[in-house]
Amino acid sequence: MSRVGKKPVVLDKGVDAKVAGSTVSLKGPKGELSLTYRSGVNVAVADGAVTVTRRSDHRNDRALHGLTRALIANMAVGVSKGYERKLEMIGVGYRAEVKGSELWLAVGFPKEKILKIPGGVAVSVEKGTTITLSGIDKESLGQFAAKVRRIRPPEPYKGKGIKYAEETIRRKVGKTSA
C-alpha cells in the first residue's frame, strides 16, 4: 500500500471539494482548481477530507495512487494559502522588469530575454533583481520558475546567474597563477 496514497487529504476551512465523473474540483478563498484523474484510482470526498483508493494492485494503479493523492494535496494548499517562489539575479547589470504580461530579463546577452507570463501566475520584481512568482497552481508556478532560471543558471566560479532564493551555490576555486 502506498504510504502517501493512503493518507486522506484534510481540507482547510473554506475549501470545498467535488467529484464529478473522473474530475476533482477544489474551490477555496484563493481560487478554483480541477484535476482529471486516471481510471486506475477512485476519489471520494467525505467529512472534510478527500481519500484516494486504487482499484487494483496493478503496477500502474499503484504508481497513480500516491501521485493522485499528492496532486490533490497540492491543489488543496494552493486554493487555501497559495504558493510563492523567489528568484534572485546575481551579476553586474542583471535586472528584471514586468511589462504587461511579459517578463523582460537583462542577463548579459546582447538582447533582453522576453518570457510570456502564464495565466494564473503573478510576477513582481523588487529592487530590479529579486523576482517573486506567486499563484495557486504549484505545477505551473514551478514550471515557469524553472524556465526563468534556465535562461542563465548560476555558474560555480563567481555565482553569477539566476538562482532560487533558498538555493546555495557550491563555489569552485578558480585558477591560481604561480
Side-chain angles (χ1 to χ4, degrees):
M1 192 71 166
S2 169
R3 281 187 237 157
V4 172
K6 67 183 174 184
K7 293 180 187 174
V9 178
V10 179
L11 301 175
D12 291 343
K13 299 276 189 227
V15 177
D16 297 325
K18 284 187 255 178
V19 178
S22 63
T23 303
V24 180
S25 299
L26 272 73
K27 189 174 186 178
K30 296 270 187 178
E32 185 174 353
L33 290 172
S34 63
L35 169 74
T36 303
Y37 57 90
R38 300 246 187 101
S39 62
V41 293
N42 294 322
V43 178
V45 179
D47 301 330
V50 179
T51 55
V52 180
T53 57
R54 60 178 181 239
R55 294 187 180 169
S56 70
D57 272 346
H58 191 266
R59 184 181 180 110
N60 288 338
D61 293 348
R62 287 193 320 247
L64 290 173
H65 187 204
L67 171 71
T68 306
R69 190 260 179 213
L71 291 174
I72 292 171
N74 289 342
M75 288 170 39
V77 172
V79 297
S80 63
K81 297 179 189 122
Y83 287 101
E84 185 176 276
R85 199 75 204 245
K86 286 188 181 279
L87 295 139
E88 295 174 351
M89 301 171 70
I90 300 168
V92 177
Y94 286 17
R95 59 182 160 64
E97 189 177 353
V98 177
K99 293 182 182 177
S101 64
E102 295 175 334
L103 177 65
W104 290 53
L105 300 170
V107 287
F109 295 115
K111 290 184 177 179
E112 289 185 334
K113 297 290 182 178
I114 303 169
L115 294 174
K116 185 160 179 58
I117 299 170
V121 176
V123 179
S124 64
V125 178
E126 297 95 34
K127 296 186 260 177
T129 58
T130 304
I131 305 166
T132 304
L133 309 174
S134 58
I136 61 172
D137 188 7
K138 186 176 184 178
E139 183 179 0
S140 65
L141 184 79
Q143 188 67 38
F144 186 65
K147 192 175 183 181
V148 171
R149 184 184 182 277
R150 193 171 33 238
I151 287 179
R152 181 69 89 174
E155 54 97 8
Y157 295 101
K158 292 185 178 179
K160 294 183 350 179
I162 303 172
K163 70 176 193 84
Y164 298 119
E166 67 276 359
E167 180 180 16
T168 57
I169 295 148
R170 293 184 63 198
R171 303 291 290 272
K172 291 183 180 179
V173 178
K175 292 181 182 177
T176 56
S177 58

